[in-house]
């Protein structure tokens, strides 16, 4: 592990990436955003990594932008918000979606502002029962960023998305589950088992096919049925060429558990 605002460690085929500024509820300053970008790029490159687990140190997942830094930055007049978003959060969201490996987000405590939307950009969100998701932007006179205005209407529908964005009220883990915002809620104190456990399970599955599922899901947001059928045909062809497909079929016929290598 490195002593910085992002901790990374590879274990059981999983890159564990921990947001590590617990004193400010893991809110993002610029160095932390740039470090997270690097950690995601490293996880993509590292062949030993077959899944990513993103979580936060301490009592919260992430409180979004470090507001102290935002004020100091604007005071200097050297940056504007648009440039800041293009340099920090936008590449993080793009990387999470494009990473050809599954990303599980483990949320305990608050996921607020950009922190909430980084969670939503992950493939599976496992939340501790004490988690809360807050589109906190409006509470300080801002609008959702980091993909919130993209993900929320698609996940929960326009009516709920509008209320979440306009009212800026916390949504509990249970409410988020019921609304279809997240995958699973686990009892407080068991996030390691539920969240990291899900990532560890994914790291034993056919990695290339998981990456191809991400590609299909991304395209389905824009494609017609005919376009998506054609894409499924193309992508199934790619999946059929993997060693894991050969192993899956062999194991089925031999009535044994498959041993997937990710290739
Ligand atoms: O270009 C740009 O910069 C625009 C980008 C915008 C992206 C965004 O994310 S905008 C939204 C920013 N985030 C927020 O507005 C959330 C602010 N935080 C909160 O509303 C609350 O802290 C929470 C609801 C998340 C949690 O509440 P609670 O009561 O559990 O904790 P707390 O007491 O408020 O916070 C604990 C400490 O963390 C506290 O410091 P202290 O008093 O112990 O020294 C608090 O100041 C600090 N903290 C929490 N959030 C932030 C923060 N410090 C800096 N920035 C924060 N976002």
């Amino acid at each position: 592990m490195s002593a910085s605002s992002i901790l990374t460690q590879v274990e059981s085929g999983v890159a564990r990436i921990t947001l590590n500024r617990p004193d400010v509820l893991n809110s993002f300053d610029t160095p932390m955003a740039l470090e997270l970008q690097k950690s995601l790029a490293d996880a993509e490159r590292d062949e030993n990594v077959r899944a990513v687990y993103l979580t936060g140190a301490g009592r919260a997942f992430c409180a979004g932008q470090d507001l102290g830094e935002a004020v100091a930055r604007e005071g200097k007049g050297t940056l504007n918000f648009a440039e800041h978003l293009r340099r920090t959060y936008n590449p993080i969201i793009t990387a999470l979606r494009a990473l050809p490996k599954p990303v599980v987000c483990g949320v305990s405590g608050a996921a607020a502002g950009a922190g909430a939307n980084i969670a939503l950009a992950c493939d599976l969100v496992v939340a501790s029962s004490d988690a809360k998701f807050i589109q906190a932007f409006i509470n300080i006179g801002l609008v959702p960023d980091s993909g919130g205005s993209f993900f929320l209407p698609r996940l929960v529908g326009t009516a709920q998305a509008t209320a979440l964005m306009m009212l800026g009220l916390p949504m509990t883990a249970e409410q988020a589950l019921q609304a279809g915002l997240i995958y699973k809620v686990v009892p407080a104190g068991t996030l390691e088992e539920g969240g990291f456990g899900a990532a560890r399970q994914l790291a034993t599955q056919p990695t290339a096919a998981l990456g191809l599922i991400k590609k299909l899901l991304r395209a389905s947001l824009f494609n017609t049925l005919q376009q998506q059928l054609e894409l499924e045909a193309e992508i199934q062809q790619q999946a059929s060429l993997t060693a894991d497909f050969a192993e899956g079929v062999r194991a089925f016929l031999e009535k044994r558990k498959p041993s997937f290598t990710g290739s």
Side-chain angles (χ1 to χ4, degrees), residues 23-25 27 59 63-67 73 81 84-85 110 112-114 134 136-137 140 145:
D23 293 350
V24 284
L25 305 188
S27 55
R59 70 173 175 91
Q65 169 65 37
D66 182 324
L67 296 174
R73 182 180 87 216
F81 274 36
H84 183 65
L85 289 174
I134 317 167
F137 307 89
I140 53 168
D145 59 32

Side-chain angles (χ1 to χ4, degrees), residues 142-162:
L142 290 181
V143 301
D145 59 32
S146 307
S149 61
F150 180 90
F151 298 123
L152 278 168
R154 286 167 170 81
L155 288 167
V156 300
T158 311
Q160 284 293 325
T162 307

